[in-house]
Amino acid sequence: MENLRLFLGITLSNEAEKRLASLSERLARDLVFRSWTHPSDYHMTLHFLGDTPSSRVDSVAEAARAAAANAAPLALELGEPGTFGSPAAPRILWCGVREPGAAASGAGLSALAALQAELGRRLAASSGFVPEERPFRAHITLARGGGPGSGDSASLRAAWSRAVQALGSRGDGTAQPLAPDSGDGHNVQPPSTASGEDSGRALVDGPAGFWTSSGITLYRSHLGRRPSYERIAEFPFGL
């Protein structure tokens, strides 16, 4: 039986994708990372499923379809950068995603965090998927495999400011200051709520940094290919 490497996530608008591609091109001049994400692969992961038997794809799709049908379109905005791993050699460089003006649900979660939690519950019930226990942090991976000093707070702050200012000088946006290091290996802008759904202030003001997501996407990962991710199904929001 064939196994498919799958995950569920949120796609970006073309404008946001182009914005991040330009930003990453500038960042790559200052920050040493082994590989930079292909712009076509930009996404925000909701749940990584990993190697999944083809016989379970239908149950995964049904869980995603049901979760999306009970959700409304999401207003999203590019936030500030962060890293996962040691600041001396971070594993991941990412751009945060926030919900401007988002109101918490009855469970104290934003709409995005509530969707991620609901999707996890439906996946567990339909396919036996076990969601990660760590808190959900909305982000888009920009690069992997950082070299020495790539996650240093001062270096990241300086590189980010130069990149955003360079784009801003072309009328693409304005620079924003970077948040201080959290001290736990995650150099991030502190979330505005305990649920962790807000990953920093907006990267830009204007349409390039803001988009409305219309549904959940099921992706298949192809190791060794570039771009690596294939969109195999879309599940529109229904509210």
Side-chain angles (χ1 to χ4, degrees):
M1 181 181 299
E2 182 183 16
N3 281 343
L4 307 179
R5 190 172 177 83
L6 303 177
F7 62 92
L8 290 154
I10 301 291
T11 62
L12 278 64
S13 67
N14 290 336
E15 292 79 8
E17 183 179 293
K18 291 177 182 177
R19 174 70 181 183
L20 279 186
S22 296
L23 184 73
S24 291
E25 182 180 0
R26 300 287 308 193
L27 289 173
R29 303 179 186 182
D30 294 326
L31 301 177
V32 178
F33 280 83
R34 185 183 68 253
S35 63
W36 291 81
T37 303
H38 191 286
S40 296
D41 283 341
Y42 290 147
H43 69 279
M44 181 179 63
T45 299
L46 294 174
H47 287 287
F48 177 72
L49 306 175
D51 290 336
T52 305
S54 56
S55 61
R56 296 172 63 181
V57 173
D58 285 347
S59 61
V60 168
E62 183 54 38
R65 184 178 295 109
N70 288 322
L74 295 168
L76 302 172
E77 195 168 23
L78 300 177
E80 290 191 342
T83 59
F84 292 144
S86 168
R91 293 180 293 105
I92 300 290
L93 169 68
W94 49 261
C95 176
V97 177
R98 66 187 296 270
E99 298 170 80
S105 68
L109 303 176
S110 72
L112 177 57
L115 172 66
Q116 191 266 351
E118 174 65 13
L119 178 58
R121 287 191 290 269
R122 290 184 180 275
L123 288 168
S126 67
S127 62
F129 172 72
V130 180
E132 292 185 352
E133 294 184 358
R134 60 185 177 185
F136 172 63
R137 182 178 294 281
H139 69 278
I140 301 158
T141 297
L142 300 181
R144 299 177 183 273
S150 297
D152 173 73
S153 177
S155 297
L156 184 56
R157 178 184 296 110
W160 185 265
S161 294
R162 284 193 294 270
V164 177
Q165 286 171 353
L167 298 184
S169 68
R170 301 203 307 262
D172 294 329
T174 56
Q176 297 282 357
L178 182 65
D181 197 319
S182 65
D184 63 357
H186 291 183
N187 182 12
V188 298
Q189 169 73 17
S192 62
T193 71
S195 65
E197 76 280 355
D198 186 343
S199 295
R201 295 183 296 278
L203 172 63
V204 294
D205 293 322
F210 173 87
W211 79 102
T212 300
S213 173
S214 59
I216 298 172
T217 299
L218 176 62
Y219 292 86
R220 180 179 181 182
S221 177
H222 296 275
L223 298 179
R225 282 179 23 180
R226 184 172 172 86
S228 302
Y229 305 140
E230 174 189 2
R231 301 177 190 181
I232 61 176
E234 305 279 348
F235 308 100
F237 295 135
L239 298 182

